mmCIF file of all heavy atoms in Angstrom:
data_model
loop_
_atom_site.group_PDB
_atom_site.id
_atom_site.type_symbol
_atom_site.label_atom_id
_atom_site.label_comp_id
_atom_site.label_asym_id
_atom_site.label_seq_id
_atom_site.Cartn_x
_atom_site.Cartn_y
_atom_site.Cartn_z
ATOM 1 N N SER A 160 114.158 270.915 118.622
ATOM 2 C CA SER A 160 113.697 269.581 118.328
ATOM 3 C C SER A 160 114.889 268.660 118.198
ATOM 4 O O SER A 160 115.849 268.990 117.556
ATOM 5 C CB SER A 160 112.907 269.566 117.019
ATOM 6 O OG SER A 160 112.478 268.259 116.709
ATOM 7 N N VAL A 161 114.854 267.485 118.884
ATOM 8 C CA VAL A 161 115.932 266.513 118.772
ATOM 9 C C VAL A 161 115.366 265.135 118.468
ATOM 10 O O VAL A 161 114.205 264.852 118.816
ATOM 11 C CB VAL A 161 116.787 266.491 120.090
ATOM 12 C CG1 VAL A 161 117.537 267.755 120.262
ATOM 13 C CG2 VAL A 161 115.875 266.223 121.295
ATOM 14 N N ASP A 162 116.143 264.293 117.859
ATOM 15 C CA ASP A 162 115.619 263.020 117.309
ATOM 16 C C ASP A 162 115.689 261.896 118.356
ATOM 17 O O ASP A 162 116.450 260.923 118.225
ATOM 18 C CB ASP A 162 116.444 262.660 116.084
ATOM 19 C CG ASP A 162 116.157 263.510 114.910
ATOM 20 O OD1 ASP A 162 115.116 264.144 114.886
ATOM 21 O OD2 ASP A 162 116.997 263.576 113.969
ATOM 22 N N ILE A 163 114.812 261.997 119.370
ATOM 23 C CA ILE A 163 114.734 260.936 120.387
ATOM 24 C C ILE A 163 113.299 260.545 120.609
ATOM 25 O O ILE A 163 112.841 260.436 121.762
ATOM 26 C CB ILE A 163 115.412 261.352 121.686
ATOM 27 C CG1 ILE A 163 114.912 262.686 122.217
ATOM 28 C CG2 ILE A 163 116.930 261.308 121.572
ATOM 29 C CD1 ILE A 163 115.362 263.033 123.640
ATOM 30 N N GLY A 164 112.535 260.323 119.552
ATOM 31 C CA GLY A 164 111.141 259.863 119.686
ATOM 32 C C GLY A 164 111.115 258.374 120.070
ATOM 33 O O GLY A 164 112.095 257.657 119.948
ATOM 34 N N CYS A 165 109.908 257.950 120.547
ATOM 35 C CA CYS A 165 109.819 256.581 121.083
ATOM 36 C C CYS A 165 109.993 255.508 119.990
ATOM 37 O O CYS A 165 110.542 254.448 120.282
ATOM 38 C CB CYS A 165 108.460 256.422 121.798
ATOM 39 S SG CYS A 165 106.979 256.699 120.769
ATOM 40 N N VAL A 166 109.484 255.778 118.777
ATOM 41 C CA VAL A 166 109.665 254.791 117.700
ATOM 42 C C VAL A 166 111.134 254.754 117.269
ATOM 43 O O VAL A 166 111.734 253.685 117.135
ATOM 44 C CB VAL A 166 108.775 255.149 116.504
ATOM 45 C CG1 VAL A 166 109.051 254.202 115.314
ATOM 46 C CG2 VAL A 166 107.311 255.026 116.859
ATOM 47 N N ARG A 167 111.732 255.903 117.104
ATOM 48 C CA ARG A 167 113.131 256.000 116.654
ATOM 49 C C ARG A 167 114.029 255.279 117.701
ATOM 50 O O ARG A 167 114.933 254.537 117.307
ATOM 51 C CB ARG A 167 113.558 257.413 116.478
ATOM 52 C CG ARG A 167 114.914 257.557 115.733
ATOM 53 C CD ARG A 167 115.355 259.013 115.648
ATOM 54 N NE ARG A 167 114.421 259.898 114.974
ATOM 55 C CZ ARG A 167 114.501 260.155 113.660
ATOM 56 N NH1 ARG A 167 115.395 259.580 112.900
ATOM 57 N NH2 ARG A 167 113.607 260.974 113.125
ATOM 58 N N MET A 168 113.853 255.549 118.975
ATOM 59 C CA MET A 168 114.661 254.954 120.007
ATOM 60 C C MET A 168 114.489 253.448 120.065
ATOM 61 O O MET A 168 115.422 252.643 120.270
ATOM 62 C CB MET A 168 114.413 255.559 121.379
ATOM 63 C CG MET A 168 114.887 257.007 121.496
ATOM 64 S SD MET A 168 116.679 257.231 121.427
ATOM 65 C CE MET A 168 116.872 257.657 119.685
ATOM 66 N N THR A 169 113.224 252.996 119.898
ATOM 67 C CA THR A 169 112.947 251.577 119.928
ATOM 68 C C THR A 169 113.643 250.897 118.769
ATOM 69 O O THR A 169 114.366 249.859 118.946
ATOM 70 C CB THR A 169 111.422 251.315 119.867
ATOM 71 O OG1 THR A 169 110.772 251.902 121.002
ATOM 72 C CG2 THR A 169 111.117 249.842 119.833
ATOM 73 N N GLU A 170 113.484 251.405 117.554
ATOM 74 C CA GLU A 170 114.060 250.764 116.395
ATOM 75 C C GLU A 170 115.575 250.820 116.393
ATOM 76 O O GLU A 170 116.217 249.914 115.933
ATOM 77 C CB GLU A 170 113.505 251.417 115.101
ATOM 78 C CG GLU A 170 112.023 251.136 114.869
ATOM 79 C CD GLU A 170 111.463 251.696 113.574
ATOM 80 O OE1 GLU A 170 112.216 252.483 112.946
ATOM 81 O OE2 GLU A 170 110.367 251.318 113.172
ATOM 82 N N ARG A 171 116.117 251.886 116.987
ATOM 83 C CA ARG A 171 117.575 252.050 116.982
ATOM 84 C C ARG A 171 118.251 251.146 118.042
ATOM 85 O O ARG A 171 119.352 250.666 117.800
ATOM 86 C CB ARG A 171 117.923 253.507 117.199
ATOM 87 C CG ARG A 171 119.411 253.814 117.104
ATOM 88 C CD ARG A 171 119.695 255.305 117.317
ATOM 89 N NE ARG A 171 119.117 256.133 116.226
ATOM 90 C CZ ARG A 171 119.166 257.471 116.249
ATOM 91 N NH1 ARG A 171 119.704 258.136 117.245
ATOM 92 N NH2 ARG A 171 118.646 258.122 115.216
ATOM 93 N N HIS A 172 117.546 250.964 119.181
ATOM 94 C CA HIS A 172 118.274 250.343 120.312
ATOM 95 C C HIS A 172 117.599 249.047 120.799
ATOM 96 O O HIS A 172 118.297 248.235 121.464
ATOM 97 C CB HIS A 172 118.359 251.327 121.465
ATOM 98 C CG HIS A 172 119.185 252.494 121.164
ATOM 99 N ND1 HIS A 172 120.552 252.457 121.029
ATOM 100 C CD2 HIS A 172 118.828 253.820 120.952
ATOM 101 C CE1 HIS A 172 120.998 253.677 120.778
ATOM 102 N NE2 HIS A 172 119.991 254.511 120.678
ATOM 103 N N LEU A 173 116.336 248.829 120.626
ATOM 104 C CA LEU A 173 115.632 247.728 121.258
ATOM 105 C C LEU A 173 115.234 246.604 120.298
ATOM 106 O O LEU A 173 114.508 245.688 120.710
ATOM 107 C CB LEU A 173 114.421 248.227 122.029
ATOM 108 C CG LEU A 173 114.674 249.355 123.070
ATOM 109 C CD1 LEU A 173 113.405 249.642 123.793
ATOM 110 C CD2 LEU A 173 115.792 248.994 124.008
ATOM 111 N N VAL A 174 115.671 246.673 119.079
ATOM 112 C CA VAL A 174 115.379 245.617 118.121
ATOM 113 C C VAL A 174 116.547 244.705 117.908
ATOM 114 O O VAL A 174 117.694 245.186 117.694
ATOM 115 C CB VAL A 174 114.926 246.268 116.772
ATOM 116 C CG1 VAL A 174 114.748 245.161 115.698
ATOM 117 C CG2 VAL A 174 113.639 247.024 116.952
ATOM 118 N N HIS A 175 116.312 243.417 117.972
ATOM 119 C CA HIS A 175 117.362 242.426 117.726
ATOM 120 C C HIS A 175 116.789 241.313 116.842
ATOM 121 O O HIS A 175 115.756 240.768 117.149
ATOM 122 C CB HIS A 175 117.858 241.802 119.065
ATOM 123 C CG HIS A 175 118.927 240.789 118.908
ATOM 124 N ND1 HIS A 175 120.234 241.106 118.566
ATOM 125 C CD2 HIS A 175 118.927 239.445 119.055
ATOM 126 C CE1 HIS A 175 120.927 239.985 118.482
ATOM 127 N NE2 HIS A 175 120.185 238.978 118.763
ATOM 128 N N GLY A 176 117.479 241.036 115.746
ATOM 129 C CA GLY A 176 117.027 240.027 114.811
ATOM 130 C C GLY A 176 115.714 240.358 114.162
ATOM 131 O O GLY A 176 114.908 239.469 113.882
ATOM 132 N N GLY A 177 115.445 241.668 114.005
ATOM 133 C CA GLY A 177 114.169 242.069 113.351
ATOM 134 C C GLY A 177 113.016 242.155 114.314
ATOM 135 O O GLY A 177 111.899 242.550 113.861
ATOM 136 N N GLU A 178 113.155 241.823 115.572
ATOM 137 C CA GLU A 178 112.085 241.857 116.532
ATOM 138 C C GLU A 178 112.454 242.735 117.712
ATOM 139 O O GLU A 178 113.629 242.821 118.122
ATOM 140 C CB GLU A 178 111.749 240.437 117.040
ATOM 141 C CG GLU A 178 111.316 239.463 115.929
ATOM 142 C CD GLU A 178 109.933 239.770 115.400
ATOM 143 O OE1 GLU A 178 109.143 240.400 116.179
ATOM 144 O OE2 GLU A 178 109.618 239.383 114.269
ATOM 145 N N VAL A 179 111.440 243.353 118.310
ATOM 146 C CA VAL A 179 111.680 244.155 119.550
ATOM 147 C C VAL A 179 111.984 243.161 120.698
ATOM 148 O O VAL A 179 111.267 242.178 120.891
ATOM 149 C CB VAL A 179 110.396 244.993 119.915
ATOM 150 C CG1 VAL A 179 110.659 245.736 121.230
ATOM 151 C CG2 VAL A 179 110.101 245.990 118.793
ATOM 152 N N SER A 180 113.081 243.430 121.392
ATOM 153 C CA SER A 180 113.498 242.533 122.464
ATOM 154 C C SER A 180 112.404 242.429 123.522
ATOM 155 O O SER A 180 111.756 243.422 123.867
ATOM 156 C CB SER A 180 114.765 243.080 123.103
ATOM 157 O OG SER A 180 115.873 243.048 122.188
ATOM 158 N N ASP A 181 112.227 241.231 124.107
ATOM 159 C CA ASP A 181 111.124 240.993 124.954
ATOM 160 C C ASP A 181 111.560 240.220 126.231
ATOM 161 O O ASP A 181 111.458 239.005 126.296
ATOM 162 C CB ASP A 181 110.099 240.141 124.201
ATOM 163 C CG ASP A 181 108.756 239.965 124.940
ATOM 164 O OD1 ASP A 181 108.455 240.814 125.760
ATOM 165 O OD2 ASP A 181 108.070 238.968 124.682
ATOM 166 N N PRO A 182 111.997 240.954 127.268
ATOM 167 C CA PRO A 182 112.204 242.379 127.359
ATOM 168 C C PRO A 182 113.599 242.785 126.865
ATOM 169 O O PRO A 182 114.410 241.897 126.559
ATOM 170 C CB PRO A 182 112.064 242.661 128.882
ATOM 171 C CG PRO A 182 112.628 241.399 129.509
ATOM 172 C CD PRO A 182 112.200 240.281 128.563
ATOM 173 N N PRO A 183 113.900 244.074 126.829
ATOM 174 C CA PRO A 183 115.228 244.505 126.376
ATOM 175 C C PRO A 183 116.318 244.120 127.391
ATOM 176 O O PRO A 183 116.038 243.967 128.590
ATOM 177 C CB PRO A 183 115.096 246.029 126.244
ATOM 178 C CG PRO A 183 113.993 246.401 127.097
ATOM 179 C CD PRO A 183 113.029 245.238 127.086
ATOM 180 N N THR A 184 117.547 244.017 126.909
ATOM 181 C CA THR A 184 118.688 243.699 127.771
ATOM 182 C C THR A 184 119.150 244.985 128.474
ATOM 183 O O THR A 184 118.818 246.099 128.027
ATOM 184 C CB THR A 184 119.844 243.121 126.992
ATOM 185 O OG1 THR A 184 120.348 244.128 126.132
ATOM 186 C CG2 THR A 184 119.438 241.899 126.197
ATOM 187 N N GLY A 185 119.898 244.831 129.528
ATOM 188 C CA GLY A 185 120.457 245.981 130.231
ATOM 189 C C GLY A 185 121.378 246.793 129.325
ATOM 190 O O GLY A 185 121.421 248.034 129.369
ATOM 191 N N GLU A 186 122.102 246.091 128.465
ATOM 192 C CA GLU A 186 122.987 246.755 127.483
ATOM 193 C C GLU A 186 122.171 247.615 126.525
ATOM 194 O O GLU A 186 122.563 248.754 126.163
ATOM 195 C CB GLU A 186 123.887 245.792 126.757
ATOM 196 C CG GLU A 186 124.926 245.062 127.576
ATOM 197 C CD GLU A 186 124.329 243.932 128.453
ATOM 198 O OE1 GLU A 186 123.106 243.589 128.267
ATOM 199 O OE2 GLU A 186 125.077 243.435 129.294
ATOM 200 N N GLN A 187 121.065 247.098 126.031
ATOM 201 C CA GLN A 187 120.234 247.863 125.119
ATOM 202 C C GLN A 187 119.682 249.129 125.780
ATOM 203 O O GLN A 187 119.673 250.203 125.209
ATOM 204 C CB GLN A 187 119.041 247.005 124.598
ATOM 205 C CG GLN A 187 119.478 245.929 123.611
ATOM 206 C CD GLN A 187 118.308 245.010 123.242
ATOM 207 O OE1 GLN A 187 117.553 244.564 124.104
ATOM 208 N NE2 GLN A 187 118.102 244.813 121.959
ATOM 209 N N VAL A 188 119.222 248.973 127.011
ATOM 210 C CA VAL A 188 118.660 250.094 127.742
ATOM 211 C C VAL A 188 119.728 251.152 128.006
ATOM 212 O O VAL A 188 119.496 252.374 127.841
ATOM 213 C CB VAL A 188 117.969 249.654 129.038
ATOM 214 C CG1 VAL A 188 117.532 250.837 129.860
ATOM 215 C CG2 VAL A 188 116.780 248.765 128.736
ATOM 216 N N ALA A 189 120.911 250.694 128.376
ATOM 217 C CA ALA A 189 122.015 251.626 128.625
ATOM 218 C C ALA A 189 122.415 252.428 127.394
ATOM 219 O O ALA A 189 122.652 253.644 127.457
ATOM 220 C CB ALA A 189 123.212 250.866 129.186
ATOM 221 N N ALA A 190 122.414 251.733 126.248
ATOM 222 C CA ALA A 190 122.743 252.425 124.960
ATOM 223 C C ALA A 190 121.717 253.450 124.626
ATOM 224 O O ALA A 190 122.017 254.543 124.175
ATOM 225 C CB ALA A 190 122.900 251.414 123.872
ATOM 226 N N MET A 191 120.433 253.098 124.843
ATOM 227 C CA MET A 191 119.350 254.026 124.550
ATOM 228 C C MET A 191 119.454 255.243 125.505
ATOM 229 O O MET A 191 119.280 256.395 125.039
ATOM 230 C CB MET A 191 118.008 253.308 124.740
ATOM 231 C CG MET A 191 116.768 254.212 124.456
ATOM 232 S SD MET A 191 115.235 253.334 124.312
ATOM 233 C CE MET A 191 115.101 252.558 125.979
ATOM 234 N N ARG A 192 119.679 254.968 126.759
ATOM 235 C CA ARG A 192 119.777 256.065 127.740
ATOM 236 C C ARG A 192 120.951 257.013 127.336
ATOM 237 O O ARG A 192 120.782 258.262 127.433
ATOM 238 C CB ARG A 192 120.037 255.516 129.133
ATOM 239 C CG ARG A 192 120.159 256.545 130.234
ATOM 240 C CD ARG A 192 118.824 257.285 130.467
ATOM 241 N NE ARG A 192 118.967 258.408 131.367
ATOM 242 C CZ ARG A 192 118.354 258.502 132.567
ATOM 243 N NH1 ARG A 192 117.546 257.561 132.956
ATOM 244 N NH2 ARG A 192 118.457 259.568 133.267
ATOM 245 N N ALA A 193 122.083 256.469 126.894
ATOM 246 C CA ALA A 193 123.201 257.341 126.504
ATOM 247 C C ALA A 193 122.835 258.203 125.295
ATOM 248 O O ALA A 193 123.174 259.402 125.197
ATOM 249 C CB ALA A 193 124.434 256.443 126.142
#
Side-chain angles (χ1 to χ4, degrees):
S160 177
V161 292
D162 289 338
I163 52 169
C165 60
V166 174
R167 192 186 299 270
M168 290 295 95
T169 299
E170 292 184 348
R171 187 178 292 177
H172 296 289
L173 305 185
V174 173
H175 180 72
E178 299 289 336
V179 176
S180 296
D181 188 25
T184 66
E186 291 78 8
Q187 287 176 312
V188 173
M191 179 169 63
R192 179 68 188 242

